[in-house]
Coordinates of all heavy atoms in Angstrom, one line a residue:
M25 N 43.0 204.0 -101.9 CA 42.3 204.8 -100.9 C 41.9 203.9 -99.7 O 41.4 202.8 -99.8 CB 41.0 205.4 -101.6 CG 40.3 206.3 -100.6 SD 38.9 207.1 -101.5 CE 37.6 206.1 -101.0
D26 N 42.1 204.5 -98.5 CA 41.8 203.8 -97.3 C 40.3 204.0 -96.9 O 39.9 205.2 -96.7 CB 42.7 204.3 -96.1 CG 42.5 203.4 -94.9 OD1 41.6 202.6 -94.8 OD2 43.3 203.7 -93.9
V27 N 39.5 203.0 -96.9 CA 38.1 203.2 -96.7 C 37.7 202.7 -95.3 O 36.5 202.7 -94.9 CB 37.2 202.4 -97.7 CG1 37.4 203.0 -99.1 CG2 37.5 200.9 -97.7
R28 N 38.7 202.4 -94.4 CA 38.3 202.0 -93.1 C 37.7 203.2 -92.3 O 38.1 204.3 -92.5 CB 39.5 201.5 -92.3 CG 40.0 200.2 -92.8 CD 41.2 199.7 -91.9 NE 42.2 200.7 -91.9 CZ 43.5 200.4 -92.4 NH1 43.8 199.3 -92.8 NH2 44.4 201.4 -92.3
K29 N 36.8 202.9 -91.4 CA 36.1 204.0 -90.7 C 36.5 203.8 -89.2 O 36.2 202.8 -88.6 CB 34.6 203.9 -90.8 CG 33.9 205.0 -90.1 CD 32.4 204.9 -90.4 CE 31.6 206.0 -89.7 NZ 32.0 207.4 -90.1
A30 N 37.3 204.8 -88.7 CA 37.7 204.8 -87.3 C 36.5 205.2 -86.4 O 35.8 206.1 -86.7 CB 38.8 205.7 -87.1
L31 N 36.2 204.3 -85.4 CA 35.1 204.6 -84.5 C 35.5 205.3 -83.2 O 34.8 206.2 -82.7 CB 34.5 203.2 -84.1 CG 34.0 202.4 -85.2 CD1 33.5 201.0 -84.7 CD2 32.8 203.1 -86.0
C32 N 36.7 205.0 -82.7 CA 37.2 205.6 -81.5 C 38.6 205.0 -81.2 O 39.0 204.1 -81.9 CB 36.3 205.4 -80.3 SG 36.2 203.7 -79.7
R33 N 39.3 205.5 -80.2 CA 40.5 204.9 -79.8 C 40.2 203.7 -78.8 O 39.2 203.7 -78.1 CB 41.4 205.9 -79.1 CG 41.8 207.1 -80.0 CD 43.0 207.8 -79.5 NE 44.2 206.9 -79.3 CZ 44.9 206.5 -80.3 NH1 44.7 206.8 -81.5 NH2 46.0 205.7 -80.0
V34 N 41.1 202.7 -78.8 CA 40.9 201.6 -77.9 C 40.8 202.1 -76.5 O 39.9 201.6 -75.7 CB 42.1 200.6 -78.0 CG1 42.0 199.5 -76.9 CG2 42.2 200.0 -79.4
E35 N 41.5 203.1 -76.0 CA 41.5 203.6 -74.7 C 40.1 204.2 -74.3 O 39.8 204.4 -73.1 CB 42.6 204.6 -74.4 CG 44.0 204.1 -74.6 CD 44.4 204.2 -76.1 OE1 44.2 205.2 -76.7 OE2 44.8 203.1 -76.6
D36 N 39.3 204.5 -75.3 CA 38.0 205.1 -75.1 C 37.0 204.0 -74.6 O 35.9 204.4 -74.1 CB 37.4 205.7 -76.3 CG 38.3 206.9 -76.8 OD1 38.9 207.6 -75.9 OD2 38.3 207.2 -78.0
V37 N 37.4 202.8 -74.7 CA 36.5 201.7 -74.3 C 37.1 201.1 -73.0 O 38.3 200.7 -72.9 CB 36.5 200.5 -75.3 CG1 35.5 199.5 -74.9 CG2 36.2 201.0 -76.7
P38 N 36.4 201.1 -71.9 CA 36.9 200.7 -70.6 C 37.3 199.2 -70.7 O 36.6 198.4 -71.2 CB 35.8 200.8 -69.6 CG 34.7 201.5 -70.3 CD 35.0 201.6 -71.8
D39 N 38.5 198.9 -70.2 CA 39.0 197.5 -70.3 C 38.1 196.7 -69.4 O 37.9 197.0 -68.2 CB 40.5 197.4 -69.8 CG 41.1 196.1 -70.2 OD1 40.5 195.3 -70.9 OD2 42.3 195.9 -69.8
G40 N 37.6 195.6 -69.9 CA 36.6 194.8 -69.2 C 35.2 195.3 -69.2 O 34.3 194.8 -68.5
G41 N 35.0 196.4 -70.0 CA 33.7 197.0 -70.0 C 33.3 197.3 -71.4 O 33.7 196.7 -72.4
A42 N 32.4 198.3 -71.6 CA 31.8 198.6 -72.9 C 31.5 200.0 -73.0 O 31.3 200.8 -72.0 CB 30.5 197.8 -73.1
T43 N 31.4 200.5 -74.2 CA 30.9 201.8 -74.5 C 30.0 201.8 -75.8 O 29.9 200.7 -76.4 CB 32.0 202.8 -74.6 OG1 31.5 204.2 -74.6 CG2 32.8 202.7 -75.9
A44 N 29.4 202.9 -76.1 CA 28.5 202.9 -77.3 C 29.1 203.9 -78.3 O 29.6 204.9 -77.9 CB 27.1 203.3 -76.9
V45 N 29.0 203.6 -79.6 CA 29.3 204.6 -80.6 C 28.2 204.6 -81.6 O 27.5 203.6 -81.8 CB 30.7 204.3 -81.3 CG1 31.8 204.4 -80.3 CG2 30.6 202.9 -81.9
R46 N 28.1 205.8 -82.3 CA 27.1 205.9 -83.4 C 27.9 205.9 -84.7 O 29.0 206.5 -84.8 CB 26.4 207.3 -83.2 CG 25.5 207.7 -84.4 CD 24.2 207.0 -84.2 NE 23.3 207.3 -85.4 CZ 22.3 206.6 -85.7 NH1 21.9 205.6 -84.9 NH2 21.5 206.8 -86.7
V47 N 27.4 205.1 -85.6 CA 28.0 205.1 -87.0 C 27.0 205.7 -87.9 O 25.9 205.2 -88.1 CB 28.2 203.6 -87.4 CG1 28.9 203.6 -88.8 CG2 29.1 202.9 -86.4
D48 N 27.4 206.9 -88.5 CA 26.6 207.6 -89.4 C 26.8 207.0 -90.8 O 27.9 206.8 -91.2 CB 26.9 209.1 -89.4 CG 26.5 209.7 -88.1 OD1 25.4 209.4 -87.6 OD2 27.3 210.5 -87.5
T49 N 25.7 206.8 -91.5 CA 25.8 206.3 -92.9 C 24.8 207.1 -93.7 O 23.9 207.8 -93.2 CB 25.4 204.8 -93.0 OG1 24.0 204.7 -92.7 CG2 26.2 203.9 -92.0
S50 N 24.9 206.9 -95.0 CA 23.9 207.7 -95.9 C 22.5 207.2 -95.7 O 21.6 207.9 -96.2 CB 24.4 207.5 -97.3 OG 24.4 206.1 -97.7
T51 N 22.3 206.0 -95.1 CA 20.9 205.5 -94.9 C 20.4 205.7 -93.5 O 19.5 205.0 -93.1 CB 20.9 204.0 -95.3 OG1 21.8 203.3 -94.6 CG2 21.1 203.9 -96.8
G52 N 21.1 206.5 -92.7 CA 20.6 206.8 -91.4 C 21.4 206.4 -90.2 O 21.3 206.8 -89.1
G53 N 22.3 205.4 -90.5 CA 23.3 205.0 -89.4 C 22.8 204.0 -88.5 O 21.6 203.5 -88.6
F54 N 23.6 203.6 -87.5 CA 23.3 202.6 -86.5 C 24.2 202.8 -85.3 O 25.2 203.5 -85.3 CB 23.4 201.2 -87.1 CG 24.7 200.9 -87.7 CD1 25.8 200.3 -87.0 CD2 24.9 201.2 -89.1 CE1 27.0 200.0 -87.6 CE2 26.2 200.9 -89.7 CZ 27.2 200.3 -89.0
D55 N 23.8 202.1 -84.2 CA 24.5 202.2 -83.0 C 25.2 200.9 -82.6 O 24.6 199.8 -82.8 CB 23.6 202.6 -81.8 CG 23.0 204.0 -82.0 OD1 23.8 205.0 -81.9 OD2 21.8 204.1 -82.4
L56 N 26.4 201.0 -82.1 CA 27.2 199.8 -81.8 C 27.6 199.8 -80.3 O 27.8 200.9 -79.7 CB 28.5 199.7 -82.6 CG 28.4 199.5 -84.1 CD1 29.8 199.5 -84.7 CD2 27.6 198.2 -84.4
I57 N 27.7 198.6 -79.7 CA 28.3 198.4 -78.4 C 29.7 198.0 -78.7 O 29.9 197.0 -79.5 CB 27.6 197.3 -77.6 CG1 26.1 197.6 -77.5 CG2 28.2 197.1 -76.3 CD1 25.3 196.4 -77.0
L58 N 30.7 198.6 -78.1 CA 32.1 198.2 -78.2 C 32.5 197.6 -76.9 O 32.3 198.2 -75.8 CB 33.0 199.3 -78.6 CG 32.7 200.0 -79.9 CD1 33.8 201.1 -80.2 CD2 32.8 199.0 -81.1
V59 N 33.0 196.4 -76.9 CA 33.4 195.6 -75.7 C 34.9 195.4 -75.8 O 35.4 194.9 -76.8 CB 32.6 194.3 -75.6 CG1 33.1 193.5 -74.4 CG2 31.1 194.6 -75.5
R60 N 35.6 195.7 -74.7 CA 37.0 195.5 -74.7 C 37.6 194.6 -73.7 O 37.1 194.5 -72.5 CB 37.7 196.9 -74.5 CG 39.2 196.9 -74.4 CD 39.7 198.3 -74.2 NE 41.2 198.2 -73.9 CZ 41.8 199.1 -73.2 NH1 41.1 200.2 -72.8 NH2 43.1 199.0 -72.9
S61 N 38.5 193.8 -74.1 CA 39.3 192.9 -73.2 C 40.8 193.1 -73.6 O 41.2 192.5 -74.5 CB 38.9 191.5 -73.3 OG 39.7 190.7 -72.4
G62 N 41.5 193.9 -72.8 CA 42.9 194.2 -73.2 C 43.0 194.9 -74.5 O 42.4 196.0 -74.7
D63 N 43.7 194.3 -75.4 CA 43.9 194.9 -76.8 C 42.8 194.5 -77.7 O 42.7 194.9 -78.9 CB 45.2 194.5 -77.4 CG 46.4 195.1 -76.6 OD1 46.2 196.1 -76.0 OD2 47.5 194.5 -76.6
R64 N 41.9 193.6 -77.3 CA 40.8 193.1 -78.2 C 39.5 193.8 -78.0 O 39.2 194.1 -76.8 CB 40.6 191.6 -77.9 CG 41.8 190.7 -78.4 CD 41.6 189.2 -78.1 NE 41.5 189.0 -76.7 CZ 40.5 188.3 -76.1 NH1 39.6 187.7 -76.8 NH2 40.5 188.1 -74.8
V65 N 38.9 194.1 -79.1 CA 37.6 194.8 -79.0 C 36.6 194.1 -79.9 O 36.9 193.7 -81.0 CB 37.7 196.3 -79.5 CG1 36.4 197.0 -79.6 CG2 38.7 197.1 -78.6
A66 N 35.4 193.8 -79.4 CA 34.3 193.2 -80.1 C 33.2 194.2 -80.3 O 33.1 195.2 -79.5 CB 33.8 191.9 -79.4
A67 N 32.4 194.1 -81.3 CA 31.3 195.0 -81.5 C 30.0 194.3 -81.8 O 30.0 193.2 -82.4 CB 31.6 195.9 -82.7
F68 N 28.9 194.9 -81.3 CA 27.6 194.3 -81.5 C 26.6 195.5 -81.7 O 26.8 196.6 -81.2 CB 27.1 193.6 -80.2 CG 28.1 192.5 -79.7 CD1 29.0 192.8 -78.7 CD2 28.0 191.2 -80.3 CE1 29.9 191.8 -78.3 CE2 28.9 190.3 -79.8 CZ 29.8 190.6 -78.9
H69 N 25.6 195.2 -82.5 CA 24.6 196.2 -82.6 C 23.9 196.5 -81.3 O 23.7 195.6 -80.5 CB 23.5 195.8 -83.6 CG 23.9 195.9 -85.0 ND1 23.9 197.1 -85.7 CD2 24.4 195.0 -85.9 CE1 24.3 196.9 -87.0 NE2 24.7 195.6 -87.1
N70 N 23.7 197.8 -81.0 CA 23.1 198.2 -79.7 C 21.6 198.1 -79.8 O 20.9 199.1 -79.7 CB 23.6 199.6 -79.3 CG 23.2 199.9 -77.9 OD1 22.6 199.1 -77.2 ND2 23.6 201.1 -77.5
E71 N 21.2 196.8 -80.0 CA 19.7 196.6 -80.2 C 19.5 195.2 -79.7 O 20.0 194.2 -80.1 CB 19.4 196.6 -81.7 CG 17.9 196.4 -82.0 CD 17.6 196.5 -83.5 OE1 18.4 197.1 -84.2 OE2 16.6 196.0 -83.9
C72 N 18.7 195.1 -78.6 CA 18.4 193.9 -77.9 C 17.5 193.0 -78.7 O 16.5 193.4 -79.3 CB 17.8 194.1 -76.6 SG 17.6 192.7 -75.6
P73 N 17.9 191.7 -78.9 CA 17.0 190.8 -79.6 C 15.7 190.5 -79.0 O 14.8 190.0 -79.6 CB 17.9 189.5 -79.7 CG 18.8 189.5 -78.6 CD 19.1 191.0 -78.4
H74 N 15.5 190.9 -77.7 CA 14.2 190.7 -77.0 C 13.1 191.6 -77.6 O 12.2 191.1 -78.2 CB 14.3 190.8 -75.5 CG 13.0 190.8 -74.8 ND1 12.6 191.8 -74.0 CD2 12.0 190.0 -74.9 CE1 11.4 191.5 -73.5 NE2 11.0 190.4 -74.1
A75 N 13.3 192.9 -77.4 CA 12.3 193.8 -77.9 C 12.9 195.0 -78.6 O 12.2 196.0 -78.8 CB 11.5 194.3 -76.7
G76 N 14.1 194.9 -79.1 CA 14.7 195.9 -80.0 C 15.1 197.2 -79.3 O 15.4 198.2 -80.0
R77 N 15.2 197.2 -78.0 CA 15.6 198.4 -77.3 C 17.1 198.5 -77.2 O 17.8 197.4 -77.3 CB 15.1 198.3 -75.8 CG 13.5 198.2 -75.8 CD 12.9 199.5 -75.6 NE 13.1 200.1 -74.3 CZ 12.4 199.9 -73.2 NH1 11.4 199.1 -73.2 NH2 12.8 200.5 -72.1
R78 N 17.7 199.7 -77.0 CA 19.1 199.8 -76.7 C 19.4 199.1 -75.4 O 18.5 199.0 -74.5 CB 19.4 201.3 -76.5 CG 19.4 202.1 -77.8 CD 19.7 203.6 -77.5 NE 21.0 203.8 -77.0 CZ 22.0 204.3 -77.7 NH1 21.8 204.6 -78.9 NH2 23.2 204.4 -77.1
L79 N 20.6 198.6 -75.2 CA 21.0 197.9 -74.0 C 21.5 198.8 -72.9 O 21.5 198.4 -71.8 CB 22.0 196.8 -74.3 CG 21.4 195.6 -75.1 CD1 21.4 195.8 -76.6 CD2 22.0 194.3 -74.6
D80 N 21.9 200.0 -73.3 CA 22.5 200.9 -72.2 C 21.4 201.6 -71.4 O 20.3 201.9 -71.9 CB 23.5 201.9 -72.8 CG 23.1 202.4 -74.2 OD1 22.0 202.1 -74.7 OD2 23.9 203.2 -74.7
Y81 N 21.7 201.9 -70.2 CA 20.8 202.6 -69.3 C 20.9 204.1 -69.4 O 20.0 204.9 -69.1 CB 20.9 202.2 -67.8 CG 22.2 202.5 -67.2 CD1 22.5 203.7 -66.6 CD2 23.2 201.5 -67.2 CE1 23.7 204.0 -66.0 CE2 24.5 201.8 -66.6 CZ 24.7 203.0 -66.0 OH 25.9 203.2 -65.4
A82 N 22.0 204.6 -69.9 CA 22.2 206.0 -70.3 C 23.2 205.9 -71.5 O 23.9 204.8 -71.6 CB 22.8 206.8 -69.2
P83 N 23.3 206.9 -72.4 CA 24.2 206.7 -73.6 C 25.6 206.3 -73.2 O 26.3 207.0 -72.5 CB 24.1 208.1 -74.2 CG 22.8 208.6 -73.8 CD 22.6 208.1 -72.4
G84 N 25.9 205.1 -73.7 CA 27.3 204.6 -73.5 C 27.5 203.9 -72.1 O 28.6 203.5 -71.8
K85 N 26.5 203.8 -71.3 CA 26.6 203.2 -69.9 C 25.9 201.9 -69.9 O 24.7 201.9 -70.1 CB 26.1 204.2 -68.8 CG 26.7 205.6 -68.8 CD 28.2 205.5 -68.5 CE 28.8 206.9 -68.4 NZ 30.2 206.8 -68.2
F86 N 26.6 200.8 -69.6 CA 26.1 199.5 -69.6 C 26.2 198.8 -68.3 O 27.1 199.1 -67.5 CB 26.8 198.6 -70.7 CG 26.6 199.1 -72.1 CD1 27.4 200.0 -72.6 CD2 25.5 198.7 -72.8 CE1 27.2 200.5 -73.9 CE2 25.3 199.1 -74.1 CZ 26.2 200.0 -74.7
L87 N 25.2 197.9 -68.0 CA 25.2 197.1 -66.8 C 26.2 195.9 -67.1 O 25.8 195.1 -67.9 CB 23.8 196.6 -66.5 CG 22.8 197.8 -66.2 CD1 21.4 197.2 -66.1 CD2 23.2 198.5 -64.9
I88 N 27.3 195.9 -66.4 CA 28.3 194.9 -66.6 C 28.4 194.1 -65.3 O 28.6 194.8 -64.2 CB 29.7 195.4 -67.0 CG1 29.6 196.3 -68.2 CG2 30.7 194.3 -67.2 CD1 29.3 195.6 -69.5
D89 N 28.3 192.8 -65.3 CA 28.5 192.0 -64.1 C 29.5 190.9 -64.5 O 29.1 189.9 -65.1 CB 27.1 191.4 -63.7 CG 27.2 190.7 -62.4 OD1 28.3 190.8 -61.7 OD2 26.3 190.0 -62.0
G90 N 30.7 191.0 -64.1 CA 31.7 190.0 -64.4 C 31.9 190.0 -66.0 O 32.2 191.0 -66.6
D91 N 31.6 188.8 -66.5 CA 31.8 188.6 -67.9 C 30.4 188.7 -68.7 O 30.3 188.1 -69.8 CB 32.4 187.2 -68.2 CG 33.8 187.1 -67.8 OD1 34.5 188.2 -67.7 OD2 34.3 186.0 -67.6
T92 N 29.5 189.4 -68.1 CA 28.2 189.5 -68.7 C 27.8 190.9 -68.9 O 28.2 191.8 -68.1 CB 27.1 188.7 -67.9 OG1 26.9 189.3 -66.6 CG2 27.4 187.2 -67.8
L93 N 26.9 191.1 -69.9 CA 26.3 192.4 -70.1 C 24.8 192.2 -70.0 O 24.3 191.3 -70.6 CB 26.7 192.9 -71.5 CG 26.3 194.3 -71.9 CD1 27.2 194.8 -73.0 CD2 24.9 194.4 -72.5
I94 N 24.2 193.1 -69.2 CA 22.7 192.9 -68.9 C 22.0 194.1 -69.6 O 22.3 195.2 -69.4 CB 22.5 192.9 -67.4 CG1 23.3 191.8 -66.8 CG2 21.0 192.8 -67.1 CD1 23.5 191.9 -65.3
C95 N 21.0 193.7 -70.4 CA 20.1 194.7 -71.0 C 19.4 195.5 -69.9 O 18.7 194.9 -69.1 CB 19.1 194.0 -72.0 SG 18.1 195.3 -72.8
A96 N 19.5 196.8 -70.1 CA 18.9 197.7 -69.0 C 17.3 197.7 -69.1 O 16.7 198.1 -68.2 CB 19.4 199.1 -69.2
A97 N 16.8 197.2 -70.3 CA 15.3 197.3 -70.4 C 14.6 196.3 -69.6 O 13.7 196.6 -68.8 CB 15.0 197.2 -71.9
H98 N 15.0 195.0 -69.8 CA 14.2 193.9 -69.1 C 15.2 192.8 -68.6 O 14.7 191.8 -68.2 CB 13.2 193.2 -70.1 CG 12.4 194.2 -70.8 ND1 12.5 194.4 -72.2 CD2 11.4 195.1 -70.4 CE1 11.6 195.3 -72.6 NE2 10.9 195.7 -71.5
G99 N 16.5 193.1 -68.6 CA 17.4 192.2 -67.9 C 17.9 191.0 -68.6 O 18.5 190.1 -68.0
A100 N 17.8 190.9 -69.9 CA 18.4 189.8 -70.7 C 19.9 189.9 -70.4 O 20.5 190.9 -70.3 CB 18.1 189.9 -72.2
V101 N 20.5 188.7 -70.3 CA 21.9 188.6 -70.0 C 22.7 188.0 -71.1 O 22.3 186.9 -71.7 CB 22.1 187.7 -68.7 CG1 23.6 187.6 -68.4 CG2 21.3 188.2 -67.5
F102 N 23.8 188.7 -71.5 CA 24.6 188.3 -72.7 C 26.0 188.1 -72.3 O 26.5 188.8 -71.4 CB 24.5 189.3 -73.8 CG 23.1 189.6 -74.3 CD1 22.3 190.6 -73.7 CD2 22.6 188.8 -75.3 CE1 21.0 190.8 -74.2 CE2 21.3 189.1 -75.8 CZ 20.5 190.0 -75.2
G103 N 26.7 187.2 -72.9 CA 28.2 187.1 -72.7 C 28.8 188.4 -73.2 O 28.6 188.8 -74.3
L104 N 29.7 188.9 -72.4 CA 30.3 190.2 -72.7 C 31.1 190.1 -74.0 O 31.1 191.0 -74.8 CB 31.2 190.6 -71.5 CG 31.8 192.0 -71.5 CD1 30.6 193.0 -71.6 CD2 32.6 192.3 -70.3
G105 N 31.9 189.1 -74.2 CA 32.7 189.0 -75.4 C 32.0 188.3 -76.6 O 32.3 188.6 -77.7
S106 N 31.1 187.5 -76.3 CA 30.5 186.6 -77.3 C 29.1 187.2 -77.8 O 28.7 186.9 -78.9 CB 30.2 185.2 -76.8 OG 29.2 185.2 -75.7
G107 N 28.4 187.9 -76.9 CA 27.1 188.4 -77.3 C 26.0 187.3 -77.2 O 24.9 187.5 -77.5
Q108 N 26.4 186.1 -76.7 CA 25.5 185.0 -76.6 C 24.5 185.3 -75.5 O 24.8 185.8 -74.5 CB 26.2 183.7 -76.4 CG 27.0 183.2 -77.5 CD 26.2 182.9 -78.8 OE1 25.2 182.2 -78.8 NE2 26.7 183.6 -79.9
C109 N 23.2 184.9 -75.7 CA 22.2 185.0 -74.7 C 22.5 183.9 -73.6 O 22.6 182.8 -73.9 CB 20.8 184.8 -75.3 SG 19.5 184.7 -74.1
L110 N 22.6 184.4 -72.4 CA 22.9 183.5 -71.3 C 21.7 183.3 -70.4 O 21.7 182.4 -69.5 CB 24.1 183.9 -70.5 CG 25.4 184.1 -71.3 CD1 26.5 184.6 -70.4 CD2 25.8 182.8 -72.0
G111 N 20.7 184.2 -70.5 CA 19.6 184.1 -69.6 C 18.6 185.2 -69.8 O 19.0 186.2 -70.4
G112 N 17.4 185.1 -69.3 CA 16.5 186.2 -69.4 C 15.7 186.1 -70.6 O 15.7 185.1 -71.4
P113 N 15.0 187.2 -71.0 CA 14.0 187.2 -72.1 C 14.6 187.1 -73.5 O 13.8 187.1 -74.5 CB 13.2 188.5 -71.9 CG 14.1 189.4 -71.1 CD 15.0 188.5 -70.3
C114 N 15.9 187.1 -73.7 CA 16.5 186.9 -75.0 C 16.3 185.5 -75.5 O 16.3 185.3 -76.8 CB 17.9 187.3 -75.1 SG 19.0 186.7 -73.7
R115 N 16.0 184.6 -74.7 CA 15.6 183.2 -75.1 C 16.5 182.6 -76.2 O 16.0 182.1 -77.2 CB 14.1 183.2 -75.5 CG 13.2 183.6 -74.4 CD 11.7 183.5 -74.9 NE 10.8 184.1 -74.0 CZ 10.3 183.4 -72.9 NH1 10.6 182.1 -72.7 NH2 9.5 184.0 -72.1
G116 N 17.8 182.7 -76.0 CA 18.7 182.1 -77.0 C 19.1 182.9 -78.1 O 20.0 182.6 -78.9
D117 N 18.5 184.1 -78.3 CA 18.9 185.0 -79.4 C 20.1 185.8 -79.0 O 20.0 186.6 -78.0 CB 17.8 185.9 -79.8 CG 16.6 185.1 -80.4 OD1 16.9 184.1 -81.1 OD2 15.5 185.5 -80.3
A118 N 21.2 185.8 -79.8 CA 22.4 186.5 -79.5 C 22.3 187.9 -80.0 O 21.5 188.3 -80.9 CB 23.6 185.8 -80.1
L119 N 23.2 188.8 -79.4 CA 23.4 190.1 -80.0 C 24.0 189.9 -81.4 O 24.8 189.0 -81.6 CB 24.4 190.9 -79.1 CG 23.9 191.2 -77.7 CD1 25.0 191.9 -77.0 CD2 22.6 192.1 -77.7
R120 N 23.7 190.8 -82.3 CA 24.3 190.7 -83.7 C 25.7 191.3 -83.7 O 25.8 192.5 -83.4 CB 23.4 191.4 -84.7 CG 22.1 190.7 -85.0 CD 21.4 191.3 -86.1 NE 20.9 192.6 -85.8 CZ 20.9 193.6 -86.7 NH1 21.4 193.5 -87.9 NH2 20.5 194.8 -86.3
S121 N 26.7 190.5 -84.0 CA 28.0 191.0 -84.0 C 28.4 191.7 -85.3 O 27.8 191.5 -86.3 CB 29.0 189.9 -83.7 OG 29.0 189.0 -84.8
V122 N 29.3 192.6 -85.2 CA 29.8 193.4 -86.3 C 31.3 193.3 -86.3 O 32.0 193.5 -85.2 CB 29.4 194.9 -86.1 CG1 30.0 195.8 -87.2 CG2 27.9 195.0 -86.1
P123 N 32.0 193.0 -87.4 CA 33.4 192.8 -87.4 C 34.1 194.2 -87.2 O 33.7 195.2 -87.9 CB 33.7 192.2 -88.7 CG 32.6 192.6 -89.6 CD 31.4 192.7 -88.7
V124 N 35.0 194.3 -86.3 CA 35.9 195.5 -86.2 C 37.3 195.0 -86.0 O 37.6 193.9 -85.7 CB 35.5 196.3 -84.9 CG1 34.1 197.0 -85.1 CG2 35.5 195.5 -83.7
A125 N 38.2 195.9 -86.3 CA 39.7 195.7 -86.2 C 40.3 196.8 -85.4 O 39.8 197.9 -85.4 CB 40.3 195.5 -87.5
V126 N 41.4 196.5 -84.7 CA 42.1 197.5 -84.0 C 43.4 197.7 -84.8 O 44.2 196.8 -85.1 CB 42.5 197.1 -82.6 CG1 43.4 198.1 -81.9 CG2 41.3 196.8 -81.7
I127 N 43.5 199.0 -85.3 CA 44.6 199.3 -86.2 C 45.2 200.6 -85.7 O 44.5 201.7 -85.6 CB 44.1 199.5 -87.7 CG1 43.5 198.2 -88.2 CG2 45.2 200.0 -88.6 CD1 42.7 198.3 -89.5
D128 N 46.5 200.5 -85.3 CA 47.2 201.7 -84.8 C 46.4 202.4 -83.7 O 46.4 203.6 -83.6 CB 47.4 202.7 -85.9 CG 48.3 202.2 -87.0 OD1 49.2 201.3 -86.7 OD2 48.2 202.7 -88.2
G129 N 45.9 201.5 -82.8 CA 45.2 202.0 -81.6 C 43.8 202.5 -81.8 O 43.2 203.0 -80.9
Q130 N 43.3 202.4 -83.1 CA 42.0 202.8 -83.4 C 41.1 201.6 -83.6 O 41.5 200.6 -84.2 CB 42.0 203.7 -84.7 CG 42.8 204.9 -84.6 CD 42.0 206.1 -84.1 OE1 40.8 206.1 -83.9 NE2 42.7 207.2 -83.9
V131 N 39.9 201.7 -83.1 CA 38.9 200.7 -83.4 C 38.2 201.1 -84.7 O 37.7 202.2 -84.9 CB 37.8 200.6 -82.3 CG1 36.8 199.5 -82.6 CG2 38.5 200.3 -80.9
C132 N 38.3 200.2 -85.7 CA 37.9 200.5 -87.1 C 36.9 199.5 -87.6 O 37.0 198.3 -87.4 CB 39.1 200.5 -88.0 SG 40.3 201.7 -87.6
L133 N 35.9 200.0 -88.4 CA 35.1 199.1 -89.2 C 36.0 198.8 -90.5 O 36.7 199.7 -91.0 CB 33.8 199.8 -89.7 CG 32.8 200.0 -88.6 CD1 31.6 200.9 -89.1 CD2 32.2 198.6 -88.1
P134 N 35.9 197.6 -91.0 CA 36.7 197.3 -92.2 C 36.2 198.0 -93.4 O 35.1 198.5 -93.5 CB 36.6 195.8 -92.3 CG 35.4 195.4 -91.5 CD 35.2 196.4 -90.5
Ligands
LIG4 S1 14.7 194.8 -74.7 FE1 16.4 193.9 -73.8 S2 15.6 192.5 -72.3 FE2 13.9 193.3 -73.3

């Protein structure tokens, strides 16, 4: 039985940008940021390590500046592909990454 969970198609994530998806689970679910660079997609929990807020300014809309993603709440700056804190109030705390795979053009949780 295939237990992978498809989140969206790769084309649904802007190349060089990000989008948000909701993952429903039996315990209430969680929200992810999907970040794309070409055929590669990385995922992070959509929860800022500074004060626990979502990072998007509107659902699925993120502040992207070059290779950085900026939290819309208080301006913490993260590496777009790495999730590492690069400046601002995150004070060294990275976004929590989640493993995803691209399979047949779909972004999937393993
Ligand atoms: S919650 Fe993200 S910078 Fe404060």
Side-chain angles (χ1 to χ4, degrees):
M25 184 172 98
D26 188 352
V27 294
R28 291 184 301 241
K29 182 174 182 63
L31 301 173
C32 67
R33 297 200 57 77
V34 171
E35 302 83 51
D36 296 333
V37 186
D39 196 4
T43 194
V45 293
R46 174 81 186 161
V47 180
D48 292 319
T49 70
S50 61
T51 56
F54 53 92
D55 294 287
L56 294 179
I57 306 167
L58 300 180
V59 176
R60 177 180 167 204
S61 177
D63 293 335
R64 291 179 295 132
V65 176
F68 305 95
H69 282 280
N70 192 358
E71 183 178 341
C72 183
H74 171 231
R77 302 261 294 269
R78 291 176 63 103
L79 285 90
D80 37 2
Y81 61 88
K85 303 294 184 187
F86 293 90
L87 299 170
I88 306 289
D89 184 13
D91 291 337
T92 63
L93 186 156
I94 302 165
C95 179
H98 312 111
V101 180
F102 301 92
L104 189 58
S106 68
Q108 293 299 309
C109 172
L110 301 178
C114 43
R115 299 183 189 273
D117 291 330
L119 298 175
R120 286 188 298 141
S121 66
V122 174
V124 291
V126 176
I127 301 168
D128 296 332
Q130 299 270 355
V131 182
C132 301
L133 288 171

